[in-house]
Amino acid sequence: MQKAKLADAVKSCYLFAGAERQSVEALADASYVWKSSAGETLFQTGDAADGLRIVLSGLVRIWIADAEGRELTLALLEPGDPFGEIALLDGLPRSANATAIESSECLILPCKAMEEVLATDPALGRHLIQLLCELLRRNIVAIGGFAFSGLGGRLALKLHELALSHGTVEAGSARLNRKFSQSELAAMLGVTREAVNKRMTALAHDGLVSVDAGLITVPSLTALAARANAEARLGA
């Protein structure tokens, strides 16, 4: 990939919004593209950090597993999304696994290049701290959802999030752009597929979602969010 395109890929990532031109160019000079086939592991929990990654194409799953092999999907990342920033900044081993769901390309920004840029661009460092604080706040909200909501509320909230991040929104409704199987939804919530099946049936019965050829449609994002909030209040 040409240097100009590498620089554009760096600038398009929200982590580097407002970064100085010299910083972007330095990162672009040091970065390279890594191609992965569907199902390929990009890194595993405990691996040493080699750099920050930015998805250029495809879809990447970030997930964790317990000692019994149960998996929990933390995020599904699309082009423009960064990942691996925690290990990059604290120098500790990877805290999660990353797998390419589809054939994907990622831009890799090596740790050393990031360290050198942060040493010369303090404004970028402050920006990254603010973003990490925002991520922490979101995680606190997510933990609260798991603690106080039943599965129906958690599923409604997750479908609402997926509709906004992976769907086409129009006039208050949304249609997801890719298929999410009940097994995938179960992995995002840390439950069984059978449990998700029951809750999806209930949401469909109430007109909050519909499924056509594997694609989920949310007729009213407001109504789905209201269901999630109502169940959270009941749980609390």
Side-chain angles (χ1 to χ4, degrees):
M1 183 179 290
Q2 297 178 348
K3 177 182 176 180
K5 291 185 177 180
L6 292 175
D8 288 341
V10 173
K11 286 192 298 184
S12 67
C13 177
Y14 67 86
L15 290 179
F16 303 104
E20 296 182 359
R21 179 177 58 82
Q22 301 95 310
S23 298
V24 172
E25 291 179 351
L27 291 172
D29 286 340
S31 64
Y32 58 96
V33 177
W34 186 270
K35 297 182 179 181
S36 304
S37 56
E40 183 176 340
T41 298
L42 306 183
F43 56 71
Q44 293 179 302
T45 302
D47 287 351
D50 57 354
L52 173 74
R53 287 168 166 78
I54 300 174
V55 181
L56 299 178
S57 64
L59 187 70
V60 174
R61 176 191 180 214
I62 307 299
W63 58 283
I64 56 176
D66 65 10
E68 297 178 359
R70 294 176 297 185
E71 298 180 358
L72 178 65
T73 299
L74 302 177
L76 293 173
L77 306 178
E78 295 183 312
D81 290 334
F83 63 103
E85 64 272 24
I86 296 177
L88 170 69
L89 296 174
D90 66 14
L92 298 176
R94 298 292 187 190
S95 57
N97 308 288
T99 303
I101 299 298
E102 304 171 354
S103 296
S104 305
E105 290 186 341
C106 292
L107 184 68
I108 299 182
L109 286 65
C111 292
K112 183 178 180 181
M114 281 294 301
E115 292 172 357
E116 293 174 349
V117 165
L118 289 174
T120 60
D121 191 349
L124 176 58
R126 290 192 295 272
H127 175 69
L128 291 177
I129 290 173
Q130 291 174 342
L131 290 176
L132 290 176
C133 288
E134 180 181 344
L135 177 61
L136 178 59
R137 289 179 181 274
R138 290 180 181 176
N139 287 342
I140 291 173
V141 173
I143 291 171
F146 269 79
F148 299 126
S149 294
L151 178 55
R154 289 160 53 196
L155 177 58
L157 180 60
K158 177 56 66 176
L159 291 172
H160 190 274
E161 293 174 354
L162 291 174
L164 294 178
S165 58
H166 298 278
T168 300
V169 178
E170 184 176 357
S173 65
R175 181 178 174 83
L176 275 66
N177 297 325
R178 69 176 297 271
K179 296 179 180 179
F180 288 94
S181 69
Q182 292 185 357
S183 295
E184 288 177 311
L185 293 173
M188 296 177 197
L189 298 171
V191 298
T192 65
R193 185 195 64 79
E194 291 77 13
V196 167
N197 177 268
K198 292 179 181 178
R199 298 301 179 180
M200 281 291 291
T201 299
L203 291 174
H205 177 271
D206 294 341
L208 295 173
V209 300
S210 63
V211 183
D212 181 20
L215 291 173
I216 299 172
T217 296
V218 179
S220 171
L221 289 167
T222 300
L224 187 62
R227 170 63 67 86
N229 292 332
E231 294 213 17
R233 288 194 297 270
L234 286 173

